[in-house]
Every structure is written in structure tokens, then in C-alpha cells.
Amino acid sequence: MKEKFFLYARKSTDVEDKQVMSIDAQLVELRTFAREQNIEVVEEFIEKQSAKTLGRKVFGQMLKKIERGEASGIVSWAPDRLARNSVDGGQIIH
């Protein structure tokens, strides 16, 4: 059975001028990568919030869905889109 993945795109709201890729650009890249790698994407998550502090609602919902077995992993444009603090990083590793 083919593994299922989530796409996650995030853009920080606290440093707009330093953002390298917009959410739309991230999604284009992620969708292309998933298609080229034959990755089954079951849901896309989009968040506009800094990852430096805890409590990202969309990120938390996505992790709960992974815990329930709805997907086995996350495809993201860069690791810092997922975690910029040790707690979120630990959750990803776990």
C-alpha cells in the first residue's frame, strides 16, 4: 500500500520582507515535487504564522492527523517551515 503524505506550506507573519518563497510558490514547488516523486498527497495545510513560538493551530491539527494514521509524513519546502523551536522539532522527530 502506498504511503500517504501531507503538504505543509508556511509563511511567517513577523518578517514578511525576509520571506524567500510565498505560500503559493511553495505549493507549486511541493505539488511538482510530489508528482515527480509519485508521492500521494492526501491533504494540504497552509499556515501564516511564525514558528518561533509554540501554538500553531494548523501545525497542531496536522500532527494530530498523523498520530491518527491519516498520513505517514509531511512534505515541506524547507525544514524551517516545520519547526523553529525545540518543542515543534521534537514533535516532528517523534
Side-chain angles (χ1 to χ4, degrees):
M1 182 160 82
K2 190 173 179 180
E3 290 189 27
K4 298 174 182 178
F5 288 83
F6 294 141
L7 292 188
Y8 181 77
R10 182 183 64 78
K11 184 172 172 95
S12 181
T13 55
D14 62 350
V15 285
E16 287 289 330
D17 59 326
K18 294 183 181 180
Q19 295 292 304
V20 176
M21 290 197 55
S22 68
I23 287 177
D24 288 338
Q26 289 177 52
L27 289 172
V28 168
E29 293 289 324
L30 293 170
R31 290 170 183 152
T32 300
F33 176 79
R35 185 175 54 254
E36 289 172 350
Q37 299 300 314
N38 198 29
I39 293 171
E40 182 178 355
V41 175
V42 292
E43 192 169 349
E44 295 180 358
F45 293 86
I46 298 168
E47 193 151 53
K48 295 179 182 178
Q49 183 175 347
S50 173
K52 291 179 185 176
T53 57
L54 302 176
R56 288 180 288 150
K57 184 177 179 180
V58 173
F59 180 77
Q61 292 170 345
M62 180 178 65
L63 290 184
K64 285 181 182 174
K65 288 183 171 218
I66 288 174
E67 289 171 4
R68 289 194 302 258
E70 295 180 33
S72 58
I74 304 165
V75 178
S76 182
W77 177 67
D80 71 349
R81 300 300 85 199
L82 298 172
R84 298 284 308 265
N85 65 71
S86 60
V87 173
D88 289 349
Q91 287 179 305
I92 293 292
I93 292 167
H94 178 69

